[in-house]
Amino acid sequence: MDISLENETLNIYKREIETLIQRDEKYKTLGPTELEAIARAFEFTLKNGHEKVRAQMLYDLIHEKKDG
Amino acid sequence: MLLERIRLRTFGCFQQQDFDIHEGINLIFGPNFSGKSTLVNAIFFTLTGKPIVPRVDAAAMKNPKAYSGTAGLQFIANGERYLLYRGTGKRVQLRSEKESAWDVLFDDTRIRATESMLQERFGIMHEQLALTTFLREGEIFEFLARQSATRRDILHTLLGIDRLIEVRQRFIDTRRIAKREQGRIRAHQNSLRYNPQNVNETEIAQIEAKLKDLENAYGAETDDSALIAEWVQHRDRLQKQVDTLTHQQNEALSGFNDSAHLRQMIQTIQKAIQENTGLETKREELIQQTGRLESEIEALTTVCNTLRTLLESGEQHCPTCYQEVEREIIQRIVDEKEKEKSQRRTELETHNQSLETETKNLESRRELEQRLQTLQARLTQYKQRTQDIDKIQTELNALSSRLSGRGIQQREHNPSGTLTTLDKQELKTEIDSQRKRLDKLKQEEAVRLDRLGALQRANSDAAKVEKTLLSLELACSGIDKTIETLQQQILKPAEDELHHWIDKMQLFGETRVDLQREHLLPSLSIDGADRSLMLLSGSEKMFLYLCFKVALARVLGNPGFFVLDDPTLHLDGERKTLMVDFIRQLAEEYQVVVTSYDEDVRTGLEGAHLIEMTREA
């Protein structure tokens, strides 16, 4: 995936999760911090490849809101 | 990317040979087994490291007599000339031309490193190149025969969706971790079994107070117990005295609200007594007057009796004074005396009444005086008791203060009530017992508080992990939505492009194409009716597939050339012409490499760069 498609994909992803939060009541408890952590985890995995990114790293990213 | 030359070393049927490629159309023309497909394969292999025919080992592409084979491709990309060599032994070398010399930019045998280098430098990926640039013999039938899942995989690879699916899989793995964590926290929450009621706190406070008393008492006992005991006894004695005096004080004030009330009563009585001070004199005077009146009455009675006796005796002369008795005068005197006597009696009665009243008043006053004396005595007693109480209380306070200094409280505040009587051993036992109880309660309290804290932390962790699970669910749903959107965003233009080429080639009537329904396999609706691809003729399939390839090349990107291996195979004359037109139109925008051994094609593509192949080559 080239960088432009990667960036486009990331933008689409951010838009999609924002739309899901607005549409689905069950996601209302999630705030901007969680949204940012999800997007960061997505970007981190997309750019580094799933082979290099362990599930525990993603858990820490989202659960602890750590930086990637 | 503009292809310039194919260089082969012990590759396929070629020992060592170069083939120049020009801009526009390049026709590789030759009979079967002349090496046309080997050239196509060489281009594909150099760029991807794989044979163009699937499931063929790369090593099989070398010259059978050689240890290994090498295919090379000279091309221009991004304004620079490159030479890419790839050996069947996996070695890859990339050179770039610098001032008429070739600099080695890359030299590696690792497949991944090579793939990354080619993708980063030239955007080359195997699947994309296979689908958007090359048309090999029989490819269309293989594509149609592919399983839906396989086509979906190809589509996902082309759109980069496979990466998104991998990311989603990672999120699912992460969700498993979160689920495990949630289970662990729930088990922890259940294990805490917290009792929110604090039953120990009050009891601890009571025992601590009691223990303090006991320990103080124990300390006092161990220092000078005899003295303390004496003080306590004295204090008790004094307290008893105070109690007795207070009782007497209360008795002195019996019938009165307080001492002021008593004083007020005394003053009132004194005033009343003062008002009646002349009663005795008055009474004495009355008594004297009464006596005088009684004497006068008695004298008058005697006179009257004497005169009456004289009158009644008939004597002519008085026996005492021998004066002639004048009866009328004597009678008149008797009458006057009787009258006077009557007046005196009346006066006497009045005086007697007054005397009686005054006597009563006097008695009342005397009663008041007695009452006054009593009250004054009670007031004096009250004052005396008050002074005594104050005095004893001062001493009691000092003693209590001394005892308090030694840790001995008032008897009524002492929970055990027997502190002073407890001997040291009993005190020690009691203290030890209370301490044990206190330690146990404190331990229980500490455990309770620890559990409370742990439970609060566990609740917080549970809420947090719940949020993480929700975040991961959103993350996965977001990827699904992104895949849908990406497919729509990329495949919709591809559908439009396909329409454009179908219309341009005038292949069918009114056509609608859907690339999403069947995972990249075009779903056709011709003149309003769904049309199965399987029912199209071979030529229709070929043209549709070529149009599809060009459409994908437009949307997904293409290195800038097409390689079509014998595209007119099985086409009739009319369709061959159509294909030649198609290639010419394609060549307006792309470099095209075509293999064929069809004279009609050679004629149709007149003016194209011709690479003639022979079996001897």
Side-chain angles (χ1 to χ4, degrees):
Chain A
M1 192 184 278
D2 60 34
I3 291 172
S4 61
L5 185 56
E6 206 168 80
N7 290 335
E8 175 62 13
T9 306
L10 182 61
N11 289 334
I12 292 171
Y13 184 70
K14 283 179 180 171
R15 279 201 304 273
E16 291 298 345
I17 55 175
E18 277 171 14
T19 310
L20 279 169
I21 279 186
Q22 284 165 2
R23 278 188 192 165
D24 202 332
E25 196 67 31
K26 70 176 173 181
Y27 297 128
K28 291 280 181 194
T29 53
L30 301 177
T33 321
E34 282 79 17
L35 207 65
E36 198 183 317
I38 293 168
R40 206 164 49 231
F42 176 80
E43 187 180 6
F44 181 67
T45 317
L46 194 68
K47 287 191 172 166
N48 291 287
H50 74 290
E51 300 95 341
K52 293 180 188 170
V53 179
R54 287 180 294 115
Q56 188 63 48
M57 292 162 79
L58 290 183
Y59 181 77
D60 291 344
L61 264 171
I62 293 174
H63 188 67
E64 306 295 339
K65 319 279 186 297
K66 286 179 185 169
D67 291 331
Chain B
M1 183 182 280
L2 180 67
L3 303 179
E4 286 189 325
R5 187 170 293 158
I6 303 168
R7 293 184 152 189
L8 304 177
R9 304 287 182 270
T10 61
F11 191 87
C13 57
F14 300 100
Q15 193 61 35
Q16 182 172 348
Q17 197 159 347
D18 292 355
F19 298 91
D20 287 339
I21 310 289
H22 292 186
E23 280 190 66
I25 303 170
N26 295 269
L27 176 61
I28 302 172
F29 190 81
N32 293 337
F33 302 109
S34 61
K36 299 190 299 294
S37 295
T38 303
L39 289 184
V40 171
N41 207 6
I43 299 170
F44 191 81
F45 173 72
T46 310
L47 293 172
T48 66
K50 295 182 174 81
I52 197 165
V53 182
R55 295 178 290 279
V56 173
D57 185 15
M61 289 184 289
K62 68 179 178 59
N63 192 303
K65 294 174 184 172
Y67 176 73
S68 68
T70 304
L73 203 57
Q74 185 181 310
F75 57 88
I76 293 172
N78 308 320
E80 286 192 49
R81 180 165 285 119
Y82 293 93
L83 192 51
L84 179 67
Y85 283 114
R86 191 189 289 264
T88 53
K90 295 180 183 173
R91 185 179 175 188
V92 175
Q93 193 179 71
L94 178 70
R95 300 175 187 177
S96 75
E97 191 183 46
K98 295 277 167 135
E99 297 169 354
S100 303
W102 291 101
D103 287 347
V104 177
L105 299 176
F106 180 87
D107 193 346
D108 210 319
T109 56
R110 290 173 303 165
I111 295 170
R112 283 280 174 84
T114 307
E115 281 179 357
S116 299
M117 182 273 291
L118 289 172
Q119 189 180 344
E120 282 169 19
R121 278 183 179 271
F122 310 114
I124 291 172
M125 287 189 294
H126 168 253
E127 287 288 357
Q128 190 172 349
L129 206 65
L131 205 59
T132 64
T133 308
F134 286 78
L135 174 70
R136 62 180 169 78
E137 192 183 336
E139 181 186 329
I140 182 170
F141 301 105
E142 281 178 24
F143 185 78
L144 292 175
R146 273 178 172 165
Q147 295 292 316
S148 174
T150 315
R151 282 199 312 277
R152 186 192 61 208
D153 291 345
I154 294 170
L155 176 66
H156 287 173
T157 306
L158 290 175
L159 304 185
I161 288 171
D162 53 346
R163 294 270 302 277
L164 292 180
I165 290 169
E166 286 164 4
V167 174
R168 186 175 61 179
Q169 187 55 46
R170 270 288 169 271
F171 278 136
I172 290 168
D173 295 341
T174 309
R175 203 158 180 270
R176 284 197 197 102
I177 292 177
K179 274 275 180 196
R180 270 205 306 275
E181 188 63 11
Q182 190 184 42
R184 189 191 65 74
I185 290 168
R186 278 182 182 163
H188 184 48
Q189 281 175 314
N190 291 337
S191 73
L192 289 171
R193 289 194 297 275
Y194 171 68
N195 177 10
Q197 283 195 337
N198 179 9
V199 291
N200 293 332
E201 207 168 77
T202 315
E203 195 176 351
I204 284 173
Q206 285 174 350
I207 292 177
E208 277 178 341
K210 185 175 180 180
L211 198 56
K212 191 179 171 187
D213 289 345
L214 287 168
E215 283 173 344
N216 287 333
Y218 182 73
E221 284 284 320
T222 52
D223 290 341
D224 40 17
S225 57
L227 179 64
I228 296 296
E230 191 182 327
W231 284 354
V232 169
Q233 282 178 0
H234 185 48
R235 182 194 65 185
D236 292 346
R237 276 199 305 275
L238 289 175
Q239 186 63 51
K240 274 183 186 172
Q241 285 179 18
V242 168
D243 292 346
T244 308
L245 288 169
T246 306
H247 180 68
Q248 289 174 356
Q249 195 183 30
N250 291 336
E251 275 186 343
L253 284 179
S254 174
F256 297 95
N257 297 333
D258 50 22
S259 60
H261 188 195
L262 176 61
R263 284 194 181 90
Q264 191 184 358
M265 182 56 75
I266 287 170
Q267 284 173 359
T268 307
I269 293 170
Q270 281 175 337
K271 194 177 175 185
I273 290 170
Q274 268 184 355
E275 284 172 359
N276 293 293
T277 45
L279 283 178
E280 285 91 345
T281 315
K282 201 174 179 181
R283 188 169 170 274
E284 281 297 322
E285 283 175 0
L286 282 171
I287 289 169
Q288 284 176 7
Q289 285 175 359
T290 304
R292 184 174 53 79
L293 284 171
E294 282 176 347
S295 300
E296 283 178 3
I297 289 168
E298 196 178 337
L300 286 170
T301 302
T302 305
V303 169
C304 285
N305 287 339
T306 304
L307 290 176
R308 276 195 192 99
T309 304
L310 184 60
L311 284 175
E312 288 171 1
S313 66
E315 296 281 344
Q316 293 296 322
H317 291 84
C318 176
T320 308
C321 62
Y322 295 109
Q323 287 185 354
E324 187 182 357
V325 176
E326 293 180 22
R327 295 195 178 280
E328 289 178 1
I329 292 169
I330 292 170
Q331 189 61 47
R332 198 167 55 240
I333 290 168
V334 168
D335 292 342
E336 283 175 0
K337 292 299 178 188
E338 282 294 337
K339 193 179 178 182
E340 190 178 350
K341 185 180 159 186
S342 178
Q343 284 176 347
R344 294 288 180 270
R345 281 188 186 280
T346 305
E347 279 179 35
L348 180 62
E349 281 175 9
T350 306
H351 277 80
N352 279 335
Q353 283 176 357
S354 296
L355 182 62
E356 194 177 344
T357 305
E358 291 307 321
T359 302
K360 281 180 183 173
N361 287 341
L362 189 61
E363 283 171 358
S364 297
R365 203 199 72 186
R366 283 184 179 151
E367 280 176 11
L368 282 175
E369 282 170 347
Q370 280 180 356
R371 175 86 174 138
L372 181 64
Q373 282 177 359
T374 307
L375 292 179
Q376 280 175 335
R378 283 168 66 175
L379 185 61
T380 307
Q381 187 186 11
Y382 173 80
K383 285 177 180 174
Q384 188 61 44
R385 297 295 176 268
T386 304
Q387 283 175 2
D388 293 345
I389 287 169
D390 288 347
K391 193 177 169 185
I392 295 169
Q393 194 63 52
T394 306
E395 191 180 352
L396 192 59
N397 289 342
L399 191 58
S400 296
S401 178
R402 280 206 300 279
L403 285 167
S404 180
R406 298 298 184 98
I408 309 297
Q409 302 300 319
Q410 291 293 329
R411 181 177 293 272
E412 56 271 27
H413 295 153
N414 183 347
S416 70
T418 55
L419 269 185
T420 53
T421 58
L422 283 173
D423 63 17
K424 284 173 73 174
Q425 190 55 45
E426 286 172 331
L427 273 172
K428 185 79 173 71
T429 310
E430 179 69 8
I431 286 168
D432 288 346
S433 163
Q434 293 298 335
R435 271 186 187 152
K436 273 184 189 171
R437 175 75 184 140
L438 186 64
D439 287 347
K440 192 184 168 197
L441 287 174
K442 279 187 171 177
Q443 211 169 0
E444 284 175 5
E445 182 66 6
V447 169
R448 194 187 68 83
L449 289 174
D450 190 47
R451 281 190 172 183
L452 176 63
L455 188 65
Q456 283 170 344
R457 282 193 298 278
N459 289 343
S460 168
D461 289 348
K464 199 174 167 188
V465 86
E466 192 73 38
K467 221 168 200 179
T468 301
L469 273 167
L470 199 62
S471 296
L472 286 164
E473 193 182 320
L474 176 66
C476 290
S477 302
I479 290 177
D480 292 340
K481 287 281 179 190
T482 304
I483 289 170
E484 281 177 28
T485 307
L486 265 177
Q487 287 191 19
Q488 283 171 2
Q489 279 193 0
I490 295 173
L491 291 182
K492 186 73 179 67
E495 286 170 2
D496 295 342
E497 188 69 20
L498 186 51
H499 267 127
H500 167 72
W501 280 95
I502 288 172
D503 290 347
K504 205 171 182 179
M505 298 304 297
Q506 296 180 332
L507 284 173
F508 313 109
E510 185 70 27
T511 312
R512 273 190 62 249
V513 182
D514 188 348
L515 293 177
Q516 297 175 53
R517 199 198 308 173
E518 294 286 337
H519 298 306
L520 209 59
L521 185 72
S523 300
L524 281 181
S525 171
I526 299 170
D527 294 330
D530 285 349
R531 181 86 175 271
S532 168
L533 286 180
M534 292 303 176
L535 297 176
L536 295 177
S537 71
S539 61
E540 283 173 335
K541 283 175 192 159
M542 171 62 85
F543 278 107
L544 177 67
Y545 192 65
L546 269 175
C547 292
F548 164 68
K549 223 175 239 299
V550 174
L552 285 184
R554 284 269 193 201
V555 175
L556 299 176
N558 164 296
F561 62 89
F562 280 94
V563 180
L564 312 176
D565 192 7
D566 218 348
T568 57
L569 192 70
H570 310 307
L571 297 185
D572 60 19
E574 190 185 339
R575 296 287 173 164
K576 278 180 196 170
T577 309
L578 198 61
M579 178 59 76
V580 168
D581 285 346
F582 180 84
I583 292 167
R584 284 195 177 281
Q585 286 186 37
L586 202 58
E588 289 173 7
E589 292 180 58
Y590 297 93
Q591 187 183 30
V592 182
V593 178
V594 184
T595 70
S596 181
Y597 190 50
D598 192 317
E599 282 297 336
D600 291 340
V601 175
R602 183 174 178 165
T603 308
L605 294 178
E606 192 179 359
H609 173 64
L610 184 66
I611 303 168
E612 283 212 73
M613 310 288 286
T614 59
R615 282 183 189 152
E616 290 75 19

